[in-house]
Amino acid sequence: MSVFTTRVLRLTTGTSESVTDLTRECERFLHEAAGGGDGLLNIFVPHATAGIAVIETGAGSDDDLLAALHTLLPADDRWQHRHGSPGHGRDHVLPALVPPHATLPVVAGRLELGTWQSVCLVDTNKDNPERQVRLSFLG
């Protein structure tokens, strides 16, 4: 018998570009939802200007990711999508590089992440600090 459980996290990311670690929230959700079982955790952000990344945090990699995105997607006037802050069109291209979802293995109720991996929300949109992230467990 399969189990499907879902929860929506509501976050405020602020008025600057950010990488927000969601790993603890994912683990708390799995503690309740997985019941010690195996399955898959899907993380999905229903926004056109944010993504989910599995990266190292706390050692500068999160800042390096934002710097790389600035190089690849400069916040200038080259974008055809022009509403919002100057350069906001790049935020709408972000999900093509940092997808709005990730699906991760769960074993014995725990995320199977590598030693230095974290689940992160990547948000370059300074115009919309209110975000939702849907966590869904299928086991």
Side-chain angles (χ1 to χ4, degrees):
M1 182 169 145
S2 293
V3 173
F4 179 79
T5 307
T6 190
R7 172 176 303 153
V8 175
L9 303 175
R10 297 185 193 297
L11 306 165
T12 300
T13 56
T15 57
S16 61
E17 299 174 357
S18 64
V19 175
T20 304
D21 191 336
L22 303 174
T23 309
R24 287 199 174 146
E25 287 85 353
C26 291
E27 290 171 344
R28 275 193 284 271
F29 170 69
L30 289 172
H31 180 74
E32 298 170 17
D38 297 348
L40 296 170
L41 174 65
N42 181 265
I43 305 103
F44 176 72
V45 55
H47 300 285
T49 58
I52 300 294
V54 178
I55 63 168
E56 178 181 8
T57 60
S61 297
D62 37 358
D63 290 332
D64 290 342
L65 174 58
L66 292 175
L69 290 172
H70 248 279
T71 299
L72 292 170
L73 304 171
D76 58 22
D77 64 357
R78 73 184 67 202
W79 308 101
Q80 293 181 37
H81 188 104
R82 293 188 184 266
H83 76 82
S85 297
H88 174 65
R90 79 181 192 113
D91 300 328
H92 288 273
V93 177
L94 173 76
L97 301 175
V98 181
H101 59 85
T103 300
L104 304 171
V106 177
V107 177
R110 298 190 53 121
L111 272 177
E112 281 292 296
L113 292 172
T115 302
W116 304 111
Q117 289 180 316
S118 297
V119 179
C120 298
L121 171 67
V122 180
D123 187 1
T124 59
N125 183 356
K126 299 180 268 187
D127 295 338
N128 182 10
E130 301 302 319
R131 297 298 186 177
Q132 295 179 19
V133 178
R134 179 174 294 279
L135 305 177
S136 300
F137 174 74
L138 178 63

